[in-house]
Amino acid sequence: MAAPAGDDPDSLMTLTTIFCLRNLRKTMCYQGFKNKLSLRSDIFLPSEICDKLVSTYMEMVHTDNNFEPEESFFQLFSDPRSTRLTRVQLREDIVRDKDLEAIRKQDLIELNLTYCNSLSSRSLKTLMCFRETLVSLCLFGCRYIFYRRGAPLACSEDTEDEDCPVSRQALETDFNFQGFNRLRLLNIEGLPDEVDVETLLKPLKCLTSLELANVQLLGTAFLTQWKDRLASLVLYNVDLSEELVSTVVELLHLRHLDISRESRRASLKFKMTRKILTSIVQRLVNLVSLDISGHMMLDNCTVPHFEEAMGRPSIEPCKSSIYPFQELRRPLQFLGLYDTSLCNVTHIPAQKVTGSKNEEQVLNAIEAYMEFRPELAHRAINQLFDIARIQHCSQLLRALQLVIAALKCHKYDKSIQVTGSAALYYLTNTEYRCDQSVRLRREVIQVVLNGMEQYQEVTVQRNCCLTLCNFSIPEELEFQYSRVNLLLLKILEPSRQDESIQRIAVHLCNALVCQVDNHHKEAVGKMGFVKTMLNLIQKKLQDRVCDQVMEFSWSALWNITDETPDNCQMFLNCHGMSLFLECLEEFPDKQELHRNMLGLLGNVAEVRALRPQLLTPQFITVFTNLLDSKADGIEVSYNACGVLSHIMFDGPEVWSMEEPQRDRVMEKMWDAIQSWDVSSRRNINYRSFEPILRLLPQSISPVSQHWATWALYNLVSVYPNKYCPLLIKEGGVRLLEKVLELESSQPETKDMASKVMEHCENFKDDPMETNDGQEVNYGQRG
């Protein structure tokens, strides 16, 4: 069987790099002067390793919330005699002027700075250090890099204190690219209007690729200085004019031209005509990639529908449904038609097209615009969301990987996070699940949790919580167990609650503490889980509302206290018993609620040190009255009897109250047990029989022994496949033999014990025995 898509393992290089970054002080570094990290003197790292370390470090900082950035990380690469950097990609506000200065001695060939809004004009000076080696430079979204920091008395431009704000009035006017003789690829976005683009770029004689997004061009003629070599030109959201188009079509060596725009920008007045598009195609004969997304056509550019060539869609230029593209010598490799009417025609002469007509075009749009066009990627992801929700996503692996990449790339972009988390919900549901690998689903969980941590906004939180519901809980979330619990508990803080999110979060909390090891429950209890659930219950009581949140909260408490004495103690310390009594009084007819509450109290009663706190006239009377309950079948009566069975097991000497009398309570317990149907199907799930088994070999409370024996008889007869092996494994048969030997054991108890042993014996003889009904697993035993 083929492995699920997306399950390729990480390379050894990747795994080693991550390990080193998580353990810098134990591998490559030591704690140096003023606690700064320093590279060990016997270390020399070639460029392949250094480049990988920096790129992985940046990815971990932005996508792994358990990874703490190192203040002096970039200082490790300050000496080119021990470290060599050649290709560096840095992004977001975490990158400071001093980080770039730390690597100024390196012979960088490629430097990508994306959305580095903490950089000031100090970094322009640092760029000069790389001028002799730099071949590729990206300054996309670094909106303050042409401004100096403010200089109050305590702050000068040369100070190491980077808390000085950047002043929008202090423009750096002296910088240009003089001396960058090797620079071939340049990407600049959003230059201040006061910066003269022509003066800035004039020294660059050898450019082959120029990207100017959101830049105001006062003149256009300067572009012709590269007409004999420029292969790629991007003018996204640049105000086009006939003059500029005339200049562009002189750049005869262009292979890629992007004159796309964000269509919702009212300031862009230029209209694309059939004549202009034809001119571009006819003059720029070397084009393999063209993007005209967002443009409105002034006149009819397309062949009438009834005249389109019949047959399957073709990419041959001669059959093109778009007149100007019939002039192409060969199909384009890429054609950007996103947010244009042209993407809807039948015959488009390009191998890859962006648009909104179908899934392929939408995925191409996300891929093409993800990094530098988040506003377009956001809209394309929204269209993918509709495809996954209403239709069917046929390229699931690609769709998931693109959405994950977009969420990682734009962790701080709210619109991407909203649409991306919504798309993930539909892309991970049951319909698509069998096609997804463990690795891919873990990546989804990681980006979902990143979104929950970064955004407290209602829509993001709801989308993320709903997406987590598509996973097997707790199994698939266990690798992030503490983190996801902390996030859910934060969501459930009473001061900031949305009703729908609250309901989903409580459901997730309940599922997360069901069927997990006790150390997990203890850890979650210390996070404040018990207190949070009780706060929710208190709020619902005040509102006099018993809804799913109320029932799930009690169910979660039932699960988290299972065989976990510390959490049982927390429940009592947080006045849980008072809330139990209030809920019983306020909601006397809520059967599910009563079952969950009594299951929880059964857990508390199993802890010998805590039982004295239950031994009060008020509580014993309540438990005794609940023996007569018919709520939820036998469950409430059964759980009430279980609580009393553990209390009775402590003997008559601890029964210090006059009322109710111990003997009278035991009589009612006998009556209740005899009224139960032993073939009852149960809404309960036992992971261990240990608390029941301890009630068997004793004579101090025969009724407790009888309750325990009845419980075992019911479970092994109704669910033999599950509970016979468990009882045998935990030594229950031997303890039942002792029940038969005790003179104090009642005849009906011995009879049931014999039948339990017989079931186990039959099961050993015929392990393939089946039962026509399947257990309903609503949660684990309380």
Side-chain angles (χ1 to χ4, degrees):
M1 181 186 296
D7 209 16
D8 299 329
D10 283 327
S11 67
L12 182 59
M13 176 72 164
T14 297
L15 293 173
T16 305
T17 303
I18 292 172
F19 178 83
C20 288
L21 288 170
R22 291 192 184 280
N23 301 275
L24 284 172
R25 288 163 181 79
K26 297 178 181 178
T27 53
M28 303 158 39
C29 306
Y30 65 94
Q31 203 79 36
F33 180 65
K34 292 185 178 180
N35 291 326
K36 285 189 176 182
L37 209 59
S38 297
L39 199 67
R40 283 171 37 190
S41 59
D42 57 345
I43 293 285
F44 173 80
L45 301 174
S47 60
E48 294 83 358
I49 292 178
C50 290
D51 292 349
K52 181 74 171 177
L53 281 167
V54 172
S55 63
T56 305
Y57 173 82
M58 293 304 299
E59 181 178 355
M60 291 174 69
V61 165
H62 290 110
T63 63
D64 187 346
N65 287 62
N66 292 323
F67 182 74
E68 289 294 327
E70 288 284 354
E71 179 68 24
S72 54
F73 176 76
F74 290 95
Q75 198 64 40
L76 300 178
F77 305 93
S78 60
D79 188 349
R81 293 172 298 181
S82 55
T83 56
R84 296 282 176 84
L85 284 171
T86 55
R87 291 176 171 83
V88 175
Q89 300 186 28
L90 309 176
R91 62 182 299 120
E92 310 293 352
D93 296 356
I94 189 174
V95 182
R96 304 298 183 94
D97 290 322
K98 64 181 180 182
D99 296 324
L100 212 55
E101 288 171 358
I103 61 173
R104 66 186 181 277
K105 294 180 182 179
Q106 295 286 352
D107 293 334
L108 294 188
I109 295 173
E110 178 181 322
L111 177 61
N112 282 4
L113 302 174
T114 309
Y115 298 115
C116 297
N117 289 321
S118 294
L119 298 183
S120 71
S121 60
R122 275 174 56 186
S123 289
L124 290 179
K125 294 182 178 180
T126 305
L127 286 182
M128 297 299 293
C129 300
F130 309 127
R131 64 185 181 275
E132 294 182 2
T133 59
L134 211 56
V135 173
S136 174
L137 174 64
C138 173
L139 300 177
F140 190 90
C142 303
R143 52 182 167 174
Y144 301 125
I145 198 167
F146 279 88
Y147 293 96
R148 296 188 291 273
R149 296 195 179 278
L153 292 178
C155 239
S156 68
E157 192 171 334
D158 297 325
T159 183
E160 288 297 316
D161 182 5
E162 298 198 346
D163 292 331
C164 301
V166 174
S167 170
R168 294 303 298 265
Q169 284 74 44
L171 183 68
E172 178 61 64
T173 56
D174 295 335
F175 176 81
N176 62 39
F177 285 104
Q178 191 68 46
F180 286 75
N181 297 326
R182 297 189 62 190
L183 198 62
R184 299 293 186 270
L185 293 83
L186 178 63
N187 182 343
I188 298 181
E189 186 265 349
L191 282 174
D193 293 345
E194 299 87 347
V195 173
D196 185 337
V197 181
E198 181 174 352
T199 302
L200 180 71
L201 303 183
K202 190 173 183 178
L204 299 174
K205 303 299 184 183
C206 301
L207 280 185
T208 59
S209 174
L210 176 62
E211 297 191 30
L212 299 173
N214 295 295
V215 171
Q216 181 176 347
L217 298 181
L218 299 178
T220 64
F222 76 95
L223 292 172
T224 59
Q225 68 179 305
W226 303 296
K227 67 179 181 179
D228 294 330
R229 62 173 60 246
L230 201 63
S232 175
L233 178 62
V234 175
L235 300 173
Y236 175 69
N237 273 349
V238 171
D239 285 327
L240 295 183
S241 63
E242 290 191 11
E243 178 193 357
L244 178 54
V245 172
S246 298
T247 302
V248 168
V249 296
E250 291 183 42
L251 308 176
L252 301 181
H253 292 273
L254 279 182
R255 294 174 58 79
H256 170 65
L257 174 62
D258 181 348
I259 50 175
S260 63
R261 49 173 277 184
E262 215 294 290
S263 63
R264 300 179 185 183
R265 282 169 54 107
S267 61
L268 297 177
K269 307 296 185 183
F270 182 82
K271 305 295 183 183
M272 183 71 68
T273 66
R274 176 174 168 178
K275 178 181 178 182
I276 290 173
L277 199 52
T278 301
S279 173
I280 291 173
V281 173
Q282 289 179 338
R283 296 289 303 278
L284 302 179
V285 294
N286 294 307
L287 275 186
V288 296
S289 172
L290 175 64
D291 200 332
I292 57 172
S293 297
H295 280 286
M296 180 86 64
M297 308 304 297
L298 267 185
D299 50 4
N300 191 1
C301 244
T302 60
V303 174
H305 182 67
F306 62 87
E307 291 184 10
E308 284 189 301
M310 301 301 290
R312 299 180 62 185
S314 171
I315 65 170
E316 291 303 317
C318 62
K319 296 181 180 180
S320 173
S321 300
I322 305 168
Y323 283 125
F325 295 145
Q326 293 177 358
E327 304 284 337
L328 288 168
R329 297 181 180 180
R330 68 191 74 82
L332 295 171
Q333 293 177 14
F334 174 88
L335 179 56
L337 300 178
Y338 189 76
D339 209 8
T340 72
S341 58
L342 301 182
C343 71
N344 296 309
V345 300
T346 303
H347 306 297
I348 302 176
Q351 295 171 6
K352 182 174 286 189
V353 179
T354 68
S356 54
K357 179 182 179 181
N358 52 42
E359 179 183 337
E360 177 71 20
Q361 288 186 3
V362 168
L363 292 177
N364 289 341
I366 298 173
E367 184 176 61
Y369 306 132
M370 180 195 307
E371 186 170 9
F372 297 130
R373 313 277 192 274
E375 61 277 11
L376 299 185
H378 153 65
R379 289 162 61 188
I381 293 171
N382 205 33
Q383 289 161 339
L384 175 63
F385 161 77
D386 286 333
I387 292 170
R389 178 175 63 94
I390 302 170
Q391 305 169 30
H392 176 80
C393 184
S394 59
Q395 300 184 53
L396 174 67
L397 174 61
R398 185 183 177 204
L400 259 180
Q401 289 177 330
L402 285 173
V403 174
I404 290 170
L407 288 168
K408 285 182 176 180
C409 186
H410 298 285
K411 179 180 176 181
Y412 307 105
D413 187 313
K414 179 182 169 183
S415 61
I416 294 279
Q417 293 297 318
V418 169
T419 55
S421 57
L424 285 183
Y425 171 70
Y426 286 100
L427 291 170
T428 56
N429 66 18
T430 306
E431 178 184 1
Y432 301 113
R433 181 169 181 172
C434 62
D435 299 321
Q436 297 168 13
S437 68
V438 171
R439 176 191 175 95
L440 191 62
R441 288 176 71 81
R442 284 194 170 194
E443 281 194 75
V444 173
I445 291 169
Q446 290 275 26
V447 296
V448 164
L449 297 183
N450 288 344
M452 291 173 69
E453 281 175 332
Q454 184 65 31
Y455 291 95
Q456 309 307 316
E457 196 270 337
V458 170
T459 308
V460 175
Q461 295 282 358
R462 185 188 297 113
N463 289 349
C464 290
C465 285
L466 284 170
T467 300
L468 291 178
C469 290
N470 286 337
F471 292 81
S472 296
I473 303 172
E475 295 83 5
E476 288 190 281
L477 299 184
E478 193 160 5
F479 79 108
Q480 293 280 289
Y481 193 77
S482 295
R483 183 183 177 197
V484 69
N485 273 290
L486 280 171
L487 285 169
L488 291 171
L489 293 178
K490 186 174 182 180
I491 288 173
L492 290 170
E493 290 175 3
S495 59
R496 37 180 302 280
Q497 288 178 356
D498 171 86
E499 195 70 28
S500 61
I501 296 176
Q502 186 184 78
R503 184 171 60 253
I504 303 165
V506 173
H507 162 74
L508 286 168
C509 282
N510 188 24
L512 280 163
V513 293
C514 181
Q515 302 284 14
V516 292
D517 293 335
N518 290 353
H519 76 274
H520 278 321
K521 296 178 187 176
E522 290 169 357
V524 173
K526 291 174 182 176
M527 294 176 191
F529 187 100
V530 174
K531 180 67 174 174
T532 298
M533 294 300 134
L534 290 174
N535 285 342
L536 291 173
I537 293 166
Q538 177 80 58
K539 181 67 166 59
K540 293 297 178 182
L541 269 171
Q542 291 172 356
D543 297 339
R544 305 186 72 178
V545 172
C546 182
D547 57 6
Q548 284 187 326
V549 172
M550 171 73 91
E551 291 178 357
F552 281 151
S553 297
W554 279 109
S555 179
L557 289 170
W558 181 6
N559 283 320
I560 201 172
T561 53
D562 179 49
E563 297 184 39
T564 316
D566 287 350
N567 291 340
C568 293
Q569 180 73 67
M570 287 183 204
F571 171 79
L572 295 177
N573 292 347
C574 295
H575 311 292
M577 290 304 295
S578 298
L579 291 176
F580 161 68
L581 294 175
E582 290 180 52
C583 285
L584 273 181
E585 182 178 354
E586 185 67 38
F587 309 111
D589 301 320
K590 295 293 184 178
Q591 298 186 11
E592 182 79 8
L593 179 68
H594 293 182
R595 179 180 76 91
N596 293 341
M597 293 194 300
L598 265 294
L600 158 64
L601 294 183
N603 290 340
V604 177
E606 289 173 4
V607 184
R608 187 183 188 97
L610 301 181
R611 287 200 283 269
Q613 297 185 55
L614 303 180
L615 198 56
T616 69
Q618 184 182 28
F619 293 150
I620 296 298
T621 299
V622 169
F623 298 144
T624 304
N625 290 338
L626 288 170
L627 290 170
D628 298 326
S629 172
K630 303 302 179 187
D632 199 20
I634 68 168
E635 296 302 328
V636 172
S637 177
Y638 171 88
N639 285 326
C641 197
V643 173
L644 291 168
S645 293
H646 288 286
I647 292 173
M648 294 298 177
F649 179 64
D650 290 339
E653 61 274 12
V654 302
W655 199 278
S656 56
M657 69 195 82
E658 293 183 5
E659 290 293 337
Q661 295 178 359
R662 185 172 185 270
D663 290 344
R664 177 61 185 145
V665 173
M666 286 195 293
E667 287 177 15
K668 292 204 68 175
M669 291 169 66
W670 279 106
D671 292 341
I673 297 171
Q674 289 170 346
S675 72
W676 301 338
D677 180 0
V678 78
S679 64
S680 297
R681 306 196 67 76
R682 310 296 304 287
N683 297 338
I684 200 166
N685 177 35
Y686 281 90
R687 292 188 303 126
S688 169
F689 284 143
E690 194 278 329
I692 292 177
L693 296 179
R694 72 171 73 125
L695 300 178
L696 291 179
Q698 50 91 14
S699 57
I700 199 166
S701 176
V703 71
S704 302
Q705 184 187 62
H706 191 64
W707 174 83
T709 308
W710 188 96
L712 296 175
Y713 183 29
N714 165 255
L715 293 169
V716 299
S717 58
V718 179
Y719 310 108
N721 289 333
K722 178 168 186 177
Y723 290 120
C724 284
L726 181 61
L727 186 60
I728 294 168
K729 176 185 175 183
E730 296 190 337
V733 175
R734 179 172 50 82
L735 296 175
L736 288 165
E737 290 173 350
K738 291 187 178 181
V739 170
L740 298 179
E741 296 170 2
L742 288 170
E743 292 184 6
S744 59
S745 301
Q746 297 297 306
E748 53 263 58
T749 307
K750 291 183 177 182
D751 181 54
M752 279 196 299
S754 298
K755 290 178 180 177
V756 175
M757 294 166 62
E758 184 178 337
H759 270 288
C760 290
E761 193 62 36
N762 291 339
F763 182 83
K764 285 193 291 184
D765 292 340
D766 184 14
M768 297 303 292
E769 177 185 353
T770 60
N771 191 281
D772 43 325
Q774 293 299 316
E775 177 184 3
V776 181
N777 188 346
Y778 283 86
Q780 75 187 45
R781 181 190 62 80

